[in-house]
PDB file of all heavy atoms in Angstrom:
ATOM      1  N   MET X 194       9.869  -1.114 -13.475  1.00  0.00           N
ATOM      2  CA  MET X 194       8.809  -0.812 -14.435  1.00  0.00           C
ATOM      3  C   MET X 194       9.206   0.412 -15.240  1.00  0.00           C
ATOM      4  O   MET X 194       9.640   1.419 -14.697  1.00  0.00           O
ATOM      5  CB  MET X 194       7.499  -0.525 -13.710  1.00  0.00           C
ATOM      6  CG  MET X 194       6.326  -0.402 -14.655  1.00  0.00           C
ATOM      7  SD  MET X 194       4.816   0.031 -13.755  1.00  0.00           S
ATOM      8  CE  MET X 194       4.658  -1.416 -12.759  1.00  0.00           C
ATOM      9  N   LYS X 195       9.097   0.381 -16.547  1.00  0.00           N
ATOM     10  CA  LYS X 195       9.435   1.508 -17.387  1.00  0.00           C
ATOM     11  C   LYS X 195       8.354   2.583 -17.275  1.00  0.00           C
ATOM     12  O   LYS X 195       7.201   2.308 -17.024  1.00  0.00           O
ATOM     13  CB  LYS X 195       9.577   1.061 -18.840  1.00  0.00           C
ATOM     14  CG  LYS X 195      10.693   0.027 -19.040  1.00  0.00           C
ATOM     15  CD  LYS X 195      10.752  -0.403 -20.476  1.00  0.00           C
ATOM     16  CE  LYS X 195      11.836  -1.440 -20.688  1.00  0.00           C
ATOM     17  NZ  LYS X 195      11.884  -1.930 -22.064  1.00  0.00           N
ATOM     18  N   SER X 196       8.778   3.830 -17.561  1.00  0.00           N
ATOM     19  CA  SER X 196       7.812   4.924 -17.427  1.00  0.00           C
ATOM     20  C   SER X 196       6.652   4.758 -18.397  1.00  0.00           C
ATOM     21  O   SER X 196       5.521   5.130 -18.103  1.00  0.00           O
ATOM     22  CB  SER X 196       8.508   6.262 -17.682  1.00  0.00           C
ATOM     23  OG  SER X 196       9.071   6.267 -18.987  1.00  0.00           O
ATOM     24  N   GLY X 197       6.910   4.173 -19.561  1.00  0.00           N
ATOM     25  CA  GLY X 197       5.836   3.986 -20.529  1.00  0.00           C
ATOM     26  C   GLY X 197       4.792   2.993 -20.084  1.00  0.00           C
ATOM     27  O   GLY X 197       3.651   3.014 -20.556  1.00  0.00           O
ATOM     28  N   ASP X 198       5.166   2.105 -19.146  1.00  0.00           N
ATOM     29  CA  ASP X 198       4.212   1.102 -18.660  1.00  0.00           C
ATOM     30  C   ASP X 198       3.021   1.752 -17.986  1.00  0.00           C
ATOM     31  O   ASP X 198       1.905   1.269 -18.051  1.00  0.00           O
ATOM     32  CB  ASP X 198       4.889   0.140 -17.680  1.00  0.00           C
ATOM     33  CG  ASP X 198       5.923  -0.720 -18.374  1.00  0.00           C
ATOM     34  OD1 ASP X 198       5.876  -0.786 -19.615  1.00  0.00           O
ATOM     35  OD2 ASP X 198       6.753  -1.316 -17.682  1.00  0.00           O
ATOM     36  N   PHE X 199       3.262   2.896 -17.305  1.00  0.00           N
ATOM     37  CA  PHE X 199       2.172   3.566 -16.604  1.00  0.00           C
ATOM     38  C   PHE X 199       1.158   4.129 -17.602  1.00  0.00           C
ATOM     39  O   PHE X 199      -0.033   4.096 -17.370  1.00  0.00           O
ATOM     40  CB  PHE X 199       2.714   4.692 -15.717  1.00  0.00           C
ATOM     41  CG  PHE X 199       3.358   4.185 -14.478  1.00  0.00           C
ATOM     42  CD1 PHE X 199       4.704   4.388 -14.245  1.00  0.00           C
ATOM     43  CD2 PHE X 199       2.620   3.476 -13.545  1.00  0.00           C
ATOM     44  CE1 PHE X 199       5.295   3.903 -13.097  1.00  0.00           C
ATOM     45  CE2 PHE X 199       3.203   2.992 -12.390  1.00  0.00           C
ATOM     46  CZ  PHE X 199       4.549   3.206 -12.181  1.00  0.00           C
ATOM     47  N   ASP X 200       1.675   4.682 -18.720  1.00  0.00           N
ATOM     48  CA  ASP X 200       0.759   5.213 -19.730  1.00  0.00           C
ATOM     49  C   ASP X 200      -0.111   4.108 -20.304  1.00  0.00           C
ATOM     50  O   ASP X 200      -1.322   4.270 -20.494  1.00  0.00           O
ATOM     51  CB  ASP X 200       1.552   5.873 -20.863  1.00  0.00           C
ATOM     52  CG  ASP X 200       2.356   7.075 -20.365  1.00  0.00           C
ATOM     53  OD1 ASP X 200       2.011   7.570 -19.278  1.00  0.00           O
ATOM     54  OD2 ASP X 200       3.298   7.488 -21.051  1.00  0.00           O
ATOM     55  N   GLN X 201       0.529   2.965 -20.590  1.00  0.00           N
ATOM     56  CA  GLN X 201      -0.238   1.840 -21.126  1.00  0.00           C
ATOM     57  C   GLN X 201      -1.254   1.353 -20.108  1.00  0.00           C
ATOM     58  O   GLN X 201      -2.402   1.068 -20.440  1.00  0.00           O
ATOM     59  CB  GLN X 201       0.724   0.710 -21.499  1.00  0.00           C
ATOM     60  CG  GLN X 201       0.006  -0.480 -22.129  1.00  0.00           C
ATOM     61  CD  GLN X 201       0.981  -1.575 -22.498  1.00  0.00           C
ATOM     62  OE1 GLN X 201       2.144  -1.522 -22.149  1.00  0.00           O
ATOM     63  NE2 GLN X 201       0.500  -2.576 -23.209  1.00  0.00           N
ATOM     64  N   MET X 202      -0.845   1.284 -18.846  1.00  0.00           N
ATOM     65  CA  MET X 202      -1.739   0.829 -17.780  1.00  0.00           C
ATOM     66  C   MET X 202      -2.907   1.796 -17.618  1.00  0.00           C
ATOM     67  O   MET X 202      -4.036   1.391 -17.392  1.00  0.00           O
ATOM     68  CB  MET X 202      -0.971   0.711 -16.470  1.00  0.00           C
ATOM     69  CG  MET X 202      -1.770   0.092 -15.340  1.00  0.00           C
ATOM     70  SD  MET X 202      -0.737  -0.276 -13.927  1.00  0.00           S
ATOM     71  CE  MET X 202      -0.234   1.361 -13.433  1.00  0.00           C
ATOM     72  N   ALA X 203      -2.612   3.106 -17.754  1.00  0.00           N
ATOM     73  CA  ALA X 203      -3.674   4.108 -17.629  1.00  0.00           C
ATOM     74  C   ALA X 203      -4.732   3.909 -18.710  1.00  0.00           C
ATOM     75  O   ALA X 203      -5.933   3.961 -18.443  1.00  0.00           O
ATOM     76  CB  ALA X 203      -3.087   5.510 -17.734  1.00  0.00           C
ATOM     77  N   SER X 204      -4.266   3.659 -19.924  1.00  0.00           N
ATOM     78  CA  SER X 204      -5.216   3.459 -21.015  1.00  0.00           C
ATOM     79  C   SER X 204      -6.056   2.209 -20.793  1.00  0.00           C
ATOM     80  O   SER X 204      -7.273   2.219 -20.973  1.00  0.00           O
ATOM     81  CB  SER X 204      -4.464   3.345 -22.349  1.00  0.00           C
ATOM     82  OG  SER X 204      -3.742   4.532 -22.602  1.00  0.00           O
ATOM     83  N   LEU X 205      -5.390   1.107 -20.386  1.00  0.00           N
ATOM     84  CA  LEU X 205      -6.121  -0.140 -20.158  1.00  0.00           C
ATOM     85  C   LEU X 205      -7.148   0.029 -19.059  1.00  0.00           C
ATOM     86  O   LEU X 205      -8.295  -0.414 -19.166  1.00  0.00           O
ATOM     87  CB  LEU X 205      -5.141  -1.251 -19.784  1.00  0.00           C
ATOM     88  CG  LEU X 205      -4.247  -1.757 -20.919  1.00  0.00           C
ATOM     89  CD1 LEU X 205      -3.192  -2.702 -20.371  1.00  0.00           C
ATOM     90  CD2 LEU X 205      -5.069  -2.435 -21.999  1.00  0.00           C
ATOM     91  N   THR X 206      -6.737   0.709 -17.982  1.00  0.00           N
ATOM     92  CA  THR X 206      -7.647   0.932 -16.849  1.00  0.00           C
ATOM     93  C   THR X 206      -8.862   1.721 -17.287  1.00  0.00           C
ATOM     94  O   THR X 206      -9.989   1.403 -16.935  1.00  0.00           O
ATOM     95  CB  THR X 206      -6.927   1.701 -15.729  1.00  0.00           C
ATOM     96  OG1 THR X 206      -5.810   0.930 -15.320  1.00  0.00           O
ATOM     97  CG2 THR X 206      -7.845   1.926 -14.553  1.00  0.00           C
ATOM     98  N   PHE X 207      -8.616   2.768 -18.070  1.00  0.00           N
ATOM     99  CA  PHE X 207      -9.729   3.620 -18.471  1.00  0.00           C
ATOM    100  C   PHE X 207     -10.689   2.873 -19.394  1.00  0.00           C
ATOM    101  O   PHE X 207     -11.901   2.895 -19.212  1.00  0.00           O
ATOM    102  CB  PHE X 207      -9.223   4.879 -19.159  1.00  0.00           C
ATOM    103  CG  PHE X 207     -10.342   5.800 -19.567  1.00  0.00           C
ATOM    104  CD1 PHE X 207     -10.902   6.648 -18.633  1.00  0.00           C
ATOM    105  CD2 PHE X 207     -10.866   5.778 -20.838  1.00  0.00           C
ATOM    106  CE1 PHE X 207     -11.956   7.465 -18.967  1.00  0.00           C
ATOM    107  CE2 PHE X 207     -11.902   6.591 -21.185  1.00  0.00           C
ATOM    108  CZ  PHE X 207     -12.454   7.443 -20.250  1.00  0.00           C
ATOM    109  N   PHE X 208     -10.150   2.178 -20.390  1.00  0.00           N
ATOM    110  CA  PHE X 208     -11.024   1.559 -21.381  1.00  0.00           C
ATOM    111  C   PHE X 208     -11.756   0.339 -20.872  1.00  0.00           C
ATOM    112  O   PHE X 208     -12.676  -0.145 -21.505  1.00  0.00           O
ATOM    113  CB  PHE X 208     -10.228   1.241 -22.653  1.00  0.00           C
ATOM    114  CG  PHE X 208      -9.933   2.477 -23.462  1.00  0.00           C
ATOM    115  CD1 PHE X 208      -8.666   3.005 -23.491  1.00  0.00           C
ATOM    116  CD2 PHE X 208     -10.945   3.136 -24.120  1.00  0.00           C
ATOM    117  CE1 PHE X 208      -8.402   4.167 -24.190  1.00  0.00           C
ATOM    118  CE2 PHE X 208     -10.695   4.289 -24.834  1.00  0.00           C
ATOM    119  CZ  PHE X 208      -9.420   4.803 -24.873  1.00  0.00           C
ATOM    120  N   LYS X 209     -11.361  -0.170 -19.686  1.00  0.00           N
ATOM    121  CA  LYS X 209     -12.162  -1.227 -19.063  1.00  0.00           C
ATOM    122  C   LYS X 209     -13.523  -0.689 -18.638  1.00  0.00           C
ATOM    123  O   LYS X 209     -14.497  -1.427 -18.515  1.00  0.00           O
ATOM    124  CB  LYS X 209     -11.436  -1.792 -17.835  1.00  0.00           C
ATOM    125  CG  LYS X 209     -10.278  -2.716 -18.181  1.00  0.00           C
ATOM    126  CD  LYS X 209      -9.629  -3.218 -16.909  1.00  0.00           C
ATOM    127  CE  LYS X 209      -8.452  -4.124 -17.217  1.00  0.00           C
ATOM    128  NZ  LYS X 209      -7.786  -4.585 -15.988  1.00  0.00           N
ATOM    129  N   THR X 210     -13.597   0.634 -18.400  1.00  0.00           N
ATOM    130  CA  THR X 210     -14.847   1.225 -17.903  1.00  0.00           C
ATOM    131  C   THR X 210     -15.540   2.121 -18.926  1.00  0.00           C
ATOM    132  O   THR X 210     -16.607   2.656 -18.651  1.00  0.00           O
ATOM    133  CB  THR X 210     -14.567   2.055 -16.646  1.00  0.00           C
ATOM    134  OG1 THR X 210     -13.571   3.026 -16.942  1.00  0.00           O
ATOM    135  CG2 THR X 210     -14.093   1.186 -15.516  1.00  0.00           C
ATOM    136  N   LEU X 211     -14.939   2.296 -20.098  1.00  0.00           N
ATOM    137  CA  LEU X 211     -15.531   3.215 -21.071  1.00  0.00           C
ATOM    138  C   LEU X 211     -16.950   2.832 -21.477  1.00  0.00           C
ATOM    139  O   LEU X 211     -17.844   3.681 -21.586  1.00  0.00           O
ATOM    140  CB  LEU X 211     -14.658   3.264 -22.339  1.00  0.00           C
ATOM    141  CG  LEU X 211     -13.358   4.064 -22.230  1.00  0.00           C
ATOM    142  CD1 LEU X 211     -12.623   4.022 -23.550  1.00  0.00           C
ATOM    143  CD2 LEU X 211     -13.626   5.496 -21.835  1.00  0.00           C
ATOM    144  N   ASP X 212     -17.169   1.552 -21.710  1.00  0.00           N
ATOM    145  CA  ASP X 212     -18.465   1.124 -22.223  1.00  0.00           C
ATOM    146  C   ASP X 212     -19.591   1.300 -21.222  1.00  0.00           C
ATOM    147  O   ASP X 212     -20.762   1.226 -21.569  1.00  0.00           O
ATOM    148  CB  ASP X 212     -18.412  -0.349 -22.667  1.00  0.00           C
ATOM    149  CG  ASP X 212     -17.528  -0.519 -23.899  1.00  0.00           C
ATOM    150  OD1 ASP X 212     -17.456   0.456 -24.683  1.00  0.00           O
ATOM    151  OD2 ASP X 212     -16.941  -1.588 -24.056  1.00  0.00           O
ATOM    152  N   LYS X 213     -19.262   1.550 -19.966  1.00  0.00           N
ATOM    153  CA  LYS X 213     -20.302   1.756 -18.956  1.00  0.00           C
ATOM    154  C   LYS X 213     -21.094   3.032 -19.226  1.00  0.00           C
ATOM    155  O   LYS X 213     -22.211   3.193 -18.757  1.00  0.00           O
ATOM    156  CB  LYS X 213     -19.695   1.848 -17.553  1.00  0.00           C
ATOM    157  CG  LYS X 213     -19.066   0.561 -17.064  1.00  0.00           C
ATOM    158  CD  LYS X 213     -18.516   0.776 -15.670  1.00  0.00           C
ATOM    159  CE  LYS X 213     -17.816  -0.469 -15.149  1.00  0.00           C
ATOM    160  NZ  LYS X 213     -17.219  -0.226 -13.828  1.00  0.00           N
ATOM    161  N   ILE X 214     -20.504   3.951 -19.964  1.00  0.00           N
ATOM    162  CA  ILE X 214     -21.135   5.255 -20.141  1.00  0.00           C
ATOM    163  C   ILE X 214     -22.493   5.150 -20.818  1.00  0.00           C
ATOM    164  O   ILE X 214     -23.470   5.752 -20.396  1.00  0.00           O
ATOM    165  CB  ILE X 214     -20.194   6.183 -20.941  1.00  0.00           C
ATOM    166  CG1 ILE X 214     -20.822   7.557 -21.106  1.00  0.00           C
ATOM    167  CG2 ILE X 214     -19.872   5.627 -22.298  1.00  0.00           C
ATOM    168  CD1 ILE X 214     -20.998   8.265 -19.824  1.00  0.00           C
ATOM    169  N   LEU X 215     -22.560   4.351 -21.882  1.00  0.00           N
ATOM    170  CA  LEU X 215     -23.829   4.228 -22.598  1.00  0.00           C
ATOM    171  C   LEU X 215     -24.835   3.426 -21.785  1.00  0.00           C
ATOM    172  O   LEU X 215     -26.024   3.729 -21.767  1.00  0.00           O
ATOM    173  CB  LEU X 215     -23.596   3.562 -23.964  1.00  0.00           C
ATOM    174  CG  LEU X 215     -22.657   4.375 -24.889  1.00  0.00           C
ATOM    175  CD1 LEU X 215     -22.428   3.619 -26.189  1.00  0.00           C
ATOM    176  CD2 LEU X 215     -23.237   5.751 -25.161  1.00  0.00           C
ATOM    177  N   LEU X 216     -24.334   2.389 -21.058  1.00  0.00           N
ATOM    178  CA  LEU X 216     -25.221   1.615 -20.197  1.00  0.00           C
ATOM    179  C   LEU X 216     -25.705   2.467 -19.038  1.00  0.00           C
ATOM    180  O   LEU X 216     -26.855   2.386 -18.625  1.00  0.00           O
ATOM    181  CB  LEU X 216     -24.485   0.380 -19.661  1.00  0.00           C
ATOM    182  CG  LEU X 216     -24.104  -0.673 -20.700  1.00  0.00           C
ATOM    183  CD1 LEU X 216     -23.252  -1.751 -20.035  1.00  0.00           C
ATOM    184  CD2 LEU X 216     -25.338  -1.284 -21.329  1.00  0.00           C
TER     185      LEU X 216
END
Side-chain angles (χ1 to χ4, degrees):
M194 188 183 296
K195 299 178 181 177
S196 59
D198 293 343
F199 284 116
D200 297 341
Q201 183 180 9
M202 187 170 65
S204 299
L205 289 172
T206 301
F207 181 81
F208 285 106
K209 284 180 181 178
T210 56
L211 284 180
D212 292 331
K213 293 180 182 177
I214 181 65
L215 298 177
L216 293 174

